[in-house]
Amino acid sequence: MHLTTRVAGGAAALALSLGALASPAMADGHDGSNAPEACSKEQKQLDKAEDALERLTAVFEAKKEKVKKAKKEKKNADKGAEKRAAKADLAKAKDKRSDAKENQKAQQKRVEKASERLEKCEAAQEDAPTEPAED
């Protein structure tokens, strides 16, 4: 049974190595003449970063509302135990709001970087010489 496992493993390794050798040859066939598609990766990254920023902004707004609610609860607390619990809840809410704000700022930086990469790519495409059409 070990012999068939070894033979199958060897066949799989051979198939993978031949597949790896064939894929660069196919990738070289693309000459980059499709200008609109050339920056599609950067555009996708920018879209993804903007979507994530929207989600993080919504999360931050929700955390701000929780802080407001916790402040009201602390203000309206009557007894000592209630006040302590409300104070602890407020501290947690502020911590989470702070974390959300940091995440939002980091995502804003990612959006800026992605837009810079897209602008650079588009500028490079505009500066690239176009091939004259053959008659």
Side-chain angles (χ1 to χ4, degrees):
M1 190 138 109
H2 286 295
L3 182 60
T4 55
T5 307
R6 288 182 184 166
V7 170
L14 181 63
L16 287 173
S17 64
L18 290 177
L21 292 174
S23 71
M26 289 189 288
D28 290 341
H30 189 308
D31 59 275
S33 62
N34 296 335
E37 295 176 6
C39 297
S40 64
K41 177 183 173 186
E42 286 81 3
Q43 183 63 47
K44 285 179 187 177
Q45 287 176 340
L46 178 61
D47 292 341
K48 193 175 178 181
E50 287 174 342
D51 290 343
L53 179 60
E54 287 177 23
R55 287 191 306 270
L56 287 171
T57 301
V59 167
F60 177 67
E61 292 300 321
K63 299 298 181 185
K64 279 176 43 176
E65 291 299 318
K66 284 189 177 187
V67 169
K68 286 181 184 179
K69 183 179 175 184
K71 282 182 180 180
K72 282 183 183 179
E73 287 177 4
K74 181 183 174 196
K75 184 178 180 181
N76 295 333
D78 293 332
K79 299 178 183 177
E82 265 184 47
K83 282 195 178 216
R84 283 191 299 275
K87 189 175 180 181
D89 289 344
L90 178 60
K92 285 180 188 178
K94 284 183 176 182
D95 254 357
K96 289 182 179 182
R97 180 188 62 184
S98 176
D99 290 344
K101 185 65 176 175
E102 288 177 16
N103 290 338
Q104 184 183 22
K105 284 183 179 181
Q107 190 62 34
Q108 287 171 340
K109 294 277 188 186
R110 290 183 196 108
V111 168
E112 288 174 15
K113 291 288 186 180
S115 63
E116 287 174 10
R117 284 192 301 268
L118 179 61
E119 288 173 7
K120 280 184 181 179
C121 180
E122 288 173 346
Q125 292 301 318
E126 290 173 2
D127 293 344
T130 56
E131 295 180 18
E134 295 180 20
D135 293 347

